[in-house]
Amino acid sequence: MSIPSDLPARLAEALGPSAVITEGPDLEPYAVDWRKLFPGRPACVVRPSSTDQVVRIVHICREAGASIVPQGGNTGLAGGAVPDASGTQIVLSLTRMAAVRELDAVGMTIEAEAGCILKVAQDAAAAVGRLLPISLAAEGSATIGGVVAANAGGVNVLRYGMTRNLVLGLEVVLPDGTLANGLRRLRKDNAGYDWKQLFIGSEGTLGIVTAAVLRLVPRPKHSVTALLSVTDPDAALRLLALAQDDLGDQISAFELISGTSLQLVAKHAGLKAPIAEGEWFVLIEAASSLAGLREAAETMLGAAFEREIALDGVIAESGAQAAQLWALREHVTESEAREGKSVKHDVSVPLTAVPRFLAEAGKTLAAGVPGTRVNAFGHLGDGNIHYNVLVDEGHDAAIVNRIVHDAVAAHGGSISAEHGIGQYRVGELVRYRSGAEMTLARKLKRTLDPGGLLNPGKVLSP
Amino acid sequence: MSIPSDLPARLAEALGPSAVITEGPDLEPYAVDWRKLFPGRPACVVRPSSTDQVVRIVHICREAGASIVPQGGNTGLAGGAVPDASGTQIVLSLTRMAAVRELDAVGMTIEAEAGCILKVAQDAAAAVGRLLPISLAAEGSATIGGVVAANAGGVNVLRYGMTRNLVLGLEVVLPDGTLANGLRRLRKDNAGYDWKQLFIGSEGTLGIVTAAVLRLVPRPKHSVTALLSVTDPDAALRLLALAQDDLGDQISAFELISGTSLQLVAKHAGLKAPIAEGEWFVLIEAASSLAGLREAAETMLGAAFEREIALDGVIAESGAQAAQLWALREHVTESEAREGKSVKHDVSVPLTAVPRFLAEAGKTLAAGVPGTRVNAFGHLGDGNIHYNVLVDEGHDAAIVNRIVHDAVAAHGGSISAEHGIGQYRVGELVRYRSGAEMTLARKLKRTLDPGGLLNPGKVLSP
């Protein structure tokens, strides 16, 4: 496949020379993901400053037969926003479209352009006393368009749901150059098909998200953080049920951390849990507009000890102590990296299947790939486990992936809870999703993008 | 268009004679909606008892060239679940598929077949201490399949969102007879396109929902109900902002009721508000697992009086008093019917546009259709207003609709907040949605149902 050699010039003519990057060190950050796992080579990078310019780019690229890779903050973990190495794909970076267009504290909505940094949108909401409850490690670089296209998760999913649950309206440029404007600020709208759902989480393969209206929520005034040790994941589930009884939907995080994880954190980050050692730990955070949260948390902890669900535990006495407890969780990934190589998985299973999944995957791995160690941790409240396997040099990642993902499938789970498919998991998606679902997905892709203009090879094989 | 005269016999042969109704009084409840506004005449009614039977019905009808109207509890308000009068359409009633298949109190999920009555599913959840937070007037007859197909709203939307926000998994029979099984019980799943979204809220025009996995939530232990009077809808919005500050996301209902509405309730139902008369009223309900809710509500009310946002107000002292306050709201529709004829609208606008919408629509109506009276009430917390216009005999409903819906459109609103389009609003949808959105909707319909097998003439013109 080839494209006209003057395509960058045509784009520069239409959008102005500063909108197009064709070579040099400025090109690099757009060509490869930030972990440098998926190096690509674009024909050029084009940076529109308006939705109208995005429409023009689509028309120009269609005419030239060049495909487009939409890109936001380029913080994805599955290579979904970088071009292939053919030199024929255009990276369309939305980062110049970064405005917060509208903010409504009473109606609790924010309208932002696709290139608006998530942190900027969070801060804008906070400035009017509201919360944009999408919180990710990459929030300082990730953009609203990317967050929507990836249906981002993060640490608030248990309480507020994935990004999809917060999207009220979308503006999307379709592969045929049509602008679909659904930038409504409505909490209820059953007038016709809710077509915007198609573009949320489809990773830029069906349309280019240029702006979004997101729902805001009230900002809680009180919060409480606790760390508890439990004998096993089953006890962690019993603790979750107890917490749901006593704290209701004010629980904002319920994180499971393995003893192995905390041993790694102690070894490499020098941080130690302020409670007795154990096999498994649970970090709970709850937040509320109501006073009485702490009392409810203390009652819950008392019941957990009395019923022998928890072995030991502590409630943070201050914001600083809460931060110390969170630091244990936040240093797991980095400490794992210092320990050595690992094969990572971002999987989910039904909550109540988590203990069986952990037991069975561990057993099969020990038998199939001797010498590996499992570093499991994650969002138990969402059934989302980061199941990372520490391996020796010269390991076979494919075998480890197969064992873990087969165990996930056996429990009705997902091989990608929040990171998406991108280019990384395209082959595995075909293995684990039914033929009927894949046929339906391909049909949708062909309908909206019959020419394969947008992000070819991502999510679905070309 | 005609169909083979032996089609009912073919269906009876495949499914057993008791599964097919061809005539007599048993047919009537399936042929017309419960309000008897949309009378139809089906070729026959077929009542499968399994997903496999639904697949067989689709194949038989495809071959015969007969279209299928899926139907649940037949409680819709827009004629979306009844056949036309041609005698060539088959009603496929899901009511024999009524099982709760699985219930998980810790994982907080319920899996139910399409014909399961909403109330049955609510009760099943309550029996294990959890809440299925979809609550509608028709909950004793509406079915899970219909609730999903209609993306039902109800009184809990402010807190828990529409039905879409609660659907974790779906099983759908497609118009080509394919069974798409996405009955996953996952809170996070970004593996490929989330195709189930297409079928939620598409009113049986794209596929037949045969089962669903819904998310449950913790059951709040404490609740508080208050009624306040305010000078105007602007003050009601200021009260909402205050309530969001003080009660956070524990607010489960925030209902606006006009003075006219309460006058009708006093006149026809003999119920009187226990506070001073006023132009506008707000009914607030909040619920929480935490104690301290009532104190927070009292603080909020105190501030509302101090800042002169509210004129008068009362907090219910008991469950019985709370029920009395709710009775005022619940008798509005019935009292309106006793007063005389009305033209009803189920509209939404951005929350902060509600006061302007009410003022402008009222003014235009007074000028355009003299002698009408407006009975406005609804879910202010969702921007969803039931804007009903009391008219004389011999009125022109089309003119009233046009004025109200034009005002809705002018404020970026929706002509159907929760009732859907059905057959009732097909023409108006075309008027108020952009060409790009309608083209996209038709493209999706053609892709999934090229033969127009499912529910023709609903949502989109055939």
Side-chain angles (χ1 to χ4, degrees):
Chain A
M1 186 179 166
S2 71
I3 55 165
S5 58
D6 68 341
L7 178 59
R10 288 188 213 172
L11 289 165
E13 193 185 353
L15 281 79
S18 72
V20 180
I21 307 169
T22 51
E23 56 185 4
D26 289 354
L27 194 71
E28 177 68 12
Y30 301 94
V32 61
D33 63 300
W34 65 278
R35 293 191 300 170
K36 307 211 185 295
L37 293 181
F38 308 101
R41 193 170 64 87
C44 68
V45 175
V46 57
R47 300 190 302 152
S49 54
S50 69
T51 300
D52 180 56
Q53 289 196 347
V54 175
V55 171
R56 286 159 72 191
I57 292 166
V58 167
H59 284 300
I60 292 168
C61 289
R62 272 173 71 87
E63 202 188 293
S67 54
I68 295 172
V69 179
Q71 188 181 89
N74 198 11
T75 62
L77 297 168
V82 287
D84 68 15
S86 68
T88 65
Q89 300 186 327
I90 306 298
V91 169
L92 191 162
S93 167
L94 279 305
T95 45
R96 281 171 80 178
M97 293 177 59
V100 172
R101 288 182 183 166
E102 191 161 30
L103 185 62
D104 180 345
V106 175
M108 298 219 284
T109 58
I110 185 170
E111 179 177 329
E113 291 181 340
C116 176
I117 303 279
L118 175 54
K119 183 74 167 61
V120 171
Q122 288 171 351
D123 289 348
V128 297
R130 301 300 180 209
L131 179 68
L132 174 60
I134 306 171
S135 180
L136 318 165
E139 63 197 23
S141 315
T143 59
I144 294 298
V147 159
V148 169
N151 186 30
V155 301
N156 283 323
V157 172
L158 175 60
R159 180 164 184 168
Y160 300 109
M162 304 286 278
T163 295
R164 183 183 302 279
N165 286 345
L166 299 164
V167 177
L168 297 181
L170 277 192
E171 181 186 79
V172 181
V173 177
L174 304 182
D176 66 2
T178 303
L179 175 64
N181 182 344
L183 283 174
R184 287 178 278 271
R185 298 191 284 139
L186 305 174
R187 276 146 201 281
K188 295 172 93 167
D189 181 9
N190 273 346
Y193 299 163
D194 190 1
W195 55 262
K196 70 175 178 294
Q197 301 296 337
L198 269 176
F199 302 96
I200 302 169
S202 58
E203 304 185 42
T205 62
L206 300 178
I208 304 167
V209 172
T210 49
V213 178
L214 302 176
R215 190 161 61 83
L216 304 176
V217 300
R219 178 168 285 274
K221 294 172 179 170
H222 311 277
S223 73
V224 62
T225 306
L227 182 72
L228 295 95
S229 58
V230 294
T231 48
D232 53 36
D234 253 322
L237 275 185
R238 289 199 301 278
L239 185 63
L240 176 61
L242 181 65
Q244 282 163 342
D245 284 339
D246 285 0
L247 302 174
D249 55 9
Q250 308 291 277
I251 305 170
S252 46
F254 194 95
E255 300 282 307
L256 181 70
I257 313 173
S258 64
T260 304
S261 301
L262 284 198
Q263 284 158 20
L264 292 173
V265 169
K267 179 173 169 188
H268 298 288
L271 301 176
K272 214 173 154 324
I275 60 175
E277 285 182 23
E279 290 293 306
W280 292 91
F281 298 84
V282 172
L283 183 65
I284 307 178
E285 189 172 84
S288 183
S289 298
L290 303 180
L293 179 67
R294 193 184 169 87
E295 290 66 24
E298 285 167 357
T299 304
M300 191 268 289
L301 241 72
F305 293 139
E306 197 179 309
R307 297 187 209 169
E308 298 183 349
I309 293 171
L311 303 172
D312 194 7
V314 61
I315 298 183
E317 293 292 334
S318 65
Q321 275 192 18
Q324 283 166 15
L325 297 182
W326 271 104
L328 294 165
R329 166 69 179 83
E330 286 157 0
H331 279 82
V332 175
T333 302
E334 180 196 316
S335 301
E336 176 190 299
R338 293 198 187 182
E339 181 76 1
K341 281 217 163 192
S342 66
V343 183
K344 294 167 191 285
H345 308 87
D346 165 44
V347 303
S348 64
V349 293
L351 264 68
T352 38
V354 168
R356 287 197 312 277
F357 161 72
L358 288 172
E360 290 171 26
K363 209 164 137 186
T364 317
L365 265 178
V369 196
T372 54
R373 274 181 303 158
V374 173
N375 180 32
F377 59 99
H379 319 294
L380 180 62
D382 307 318
N384 179 192
I385 302 295
H386 298 300
Y387 194 88
N388 297 347
V389 183
L390 289 153
V391 293
D392 297 326
E393 293 289 334
H395 69 282
D396 186 345
I399 295 178
V400 175
N401 275 335
R402 179 60 59 89
I403 289 173
V404 174
H405 286 166
D406 278 358
V408 166
H411 289 93
S414 169
I415 61 163
S416 183
E418 55 183 13
H419 296 169
I421 297 299
Q423 53 181 284
Y424 187 38
R425 302 286 191 196
V426 168
E428 279 164 292
L429 184 66
V430 176
R431 176 174 169 84
Y432 294 106
R433 279 285 143 104
S434 71
E437 291 184 88
M438 293 306 293
T439 300
L440 187 47
R442 287 199 192 92
K443 205 178 262 189
L444 292 171
K445 172 71 175 174
R446 270 201 310 274
T447 299
L448 287 165
D449 187 16
L453 178 82
L454 285 186
N455 223 359
K458 313 294 167 54
V459 186
L460 301 170
S461 50
Chain B
M1 187 180 163
S2 71
I3 57 165
S5 58
D6 68 341
L7 178 58
R10 287 189 215 170
L11 289 165
E13 192 185 355
L15 281 79
S18 72
V20 180
I21 307 169
T22 53
E23 55 185 4
D26 289 353
L27 193 72
E28 177 68 12
Y30 302 94
V32 60
D33 63 300
W34 66 277
R35 294 190 302 171
K36 308 213 183 295
L37 293 181
F38 308 100
R41 192 170 63 88
C44 68
V45 176
V46 58
R47 299 190 301 152
S49 55
S50 70
T51 300
D52 181 56
Q53 288 196 347
V54 175
V55 171
R56 286 159 73 192
I57 293 166
V58 167
H59 283 300
I60 292 168
C61 288
R62 273 173 69 88
E63 201 187 292
S67 54
I68 295 173
V69 179
Q71 187 182 88
N74 198 11
T75 62
L77 297 168
V82 286
D84 66 15
S86 68
T88 64
Q89 300 186 327
I90 306 299
V91 170
L92 192 162
S93 167
L94 280 305
T95 45
R96 281 170 80 178
M97 294 177 58
V100 172
R101 289 182 183 166
E102 190 161 30
L103 184 62
D104 180 344
V106 175
M108 298 219 285
T109 57
I110 186 169
E111 180 177 328
E113 290 180 341
C116 176
I117 302 280
L118 175 54
K119 184 74 167 62
V120 171
Q122 288 171 349
D123 289 347
V128 296
R130 301 301 181 210
L131 179 68
L132 175 59
I134 305 171
S135 181
L136 317 166
E139 62 198 25
S141 316
T143 60
I144 294 298
V147 159
V148 169
N151 187 30
V155 300
N156 283 324
V157 172
L158 175 60
R159 179 164 184 167
Y160 299 109
M162 303 285 278
T163 295
R164 184 184 303 279
N165 285 346
L166 299 165
V167 177
L168 296 180
L170 276 192
E171 181 186 80
V172 182
V173 177
L174 304 182
D176 66 2
T178 303
L179 175 64
N181 183 344
L183 283 174
R184 287 178 278 270
R185 298 190 284 138
L186 305 174
R187 276 147 200 283
K188 296 172 92 167
D189 181 11
N190 273 345
Y193 299 162
D194 190 1
W195 54 264
K196 71 175 178 294
Q197 301 296 337
L198 269 176
F199 302 96
I200 303 169
S202 58
E203 306 186 39
T205 61
L206 299 179
I208 303 166
V209 173
T210 49
V213 178
L214 302 176
R215 190 161 60 82
L216 304 177
V217 300
R219 179 169 284 275
K221 294 172 179 169
H222 311 278
S223 73
V224 62
T225 306
L227 181 72
L228 294 95
S229 58
V230 294
T231 49
D232 53 35
D234 254 322
L237 275 185
R238 289 200 301 278
L239 185 64
L240 176 61
L242 181 66
Q244 282 163 342
D245 284 338
D246 285 359
L247 302 173
D249 54 9
Q250 308 290 279
I251 306 169
S252 45
F254 195 95
E255 301 282 307
L256 182 69
I257 313 172
S258 64
T260 303
S261 301
L262 284 198
Q263 284 159 21
L264 292 173
V265 169
K267 179 174 169 188
H268 297 288
L271 301 177
K272 214 172 156 321
I275 60 175
E277 285 182 23
E279 290 293 307
W280 292 91
F281 298 84
V282 172
L283 183 65
I284 306 178
E285 189 172 84
S288 182
S289 298
L290 304 179
L293 179 67
R294 193 183 168 86
E295 290 66 25
E298 284 168 358
T299 304
M300 192 268 289
L301 241 70
F305 294 139
E306 197 179 309
R307 298 188 209 169
E308 299 181 349
I309 294 171
L311 303 173
D312 195 6
V314 61
I315 297 183
E317 293 291 335
S318 64
Q321 275 193 19
Q324 283 166 17
L325 296 182
W326 270 104
L328 294 165
R329 167 69 178 82
E330 286 157 359
H331 279 81
V332 174
T333 302
E334 180 195 318
S335 302
E336 176 191 297
R338 294 197 184 183
E339 180 74 2
K341 280 217 166 192
S342 67
V343 182
K344 295 167 191 283
H345 308 88
D346 165 45
V347 304
S348 65
V349 293
L351 265 68
T352 38
V354 168
R356 286 198 311 279
F357 160 72
L358 289 172
E360 290 171 26
K363 211 165 135 186
T364 316
L365 266 179
V369 196
T372 54
R373 274 181 302 157
V374 173
N375 179 32
F377 60 98
H379 319 294
L380 179 62
D382 307 318
N384 178 192
I385 302 295
H386 298 302
Y387 193 89
N388 298 347
V389 183
L390 289 152
V391 293
D392 298 326
E393 293 291 334
H395 70 281
D396 186 346
I399 294 179
V400 174
N401 275 335
R402 179 59 59 89
I403 288 173
V404 174
H405 287 165
D406 278 359
V408 165
H411 288 94
S414 169
I415 61 162
S416 183
E418 55 182 14
H419 297 169
I421 297 300
Q423 52 182 284
Y424 187 39
R425 302 287 192 196
V426 167
E428 280 165 291
L429 184 66
V430 176
R431 176 174 167 84
Y432 294 106
R433 279 286 144 101
S434 72
E437 291 184 87
M438 292 306 293
T439 300
L440 187 47
R442 288 199 192 92
K443 206 179 263 190
L444 292 171
K445 172 70 176 174
R446 270 202 310 273
T447 299
L448 287 165
D449 187 18
L453 179 81
L454 285 185
N455 223 0
K458 314 294 167 51
V459 185
L460 301 169
S461 51

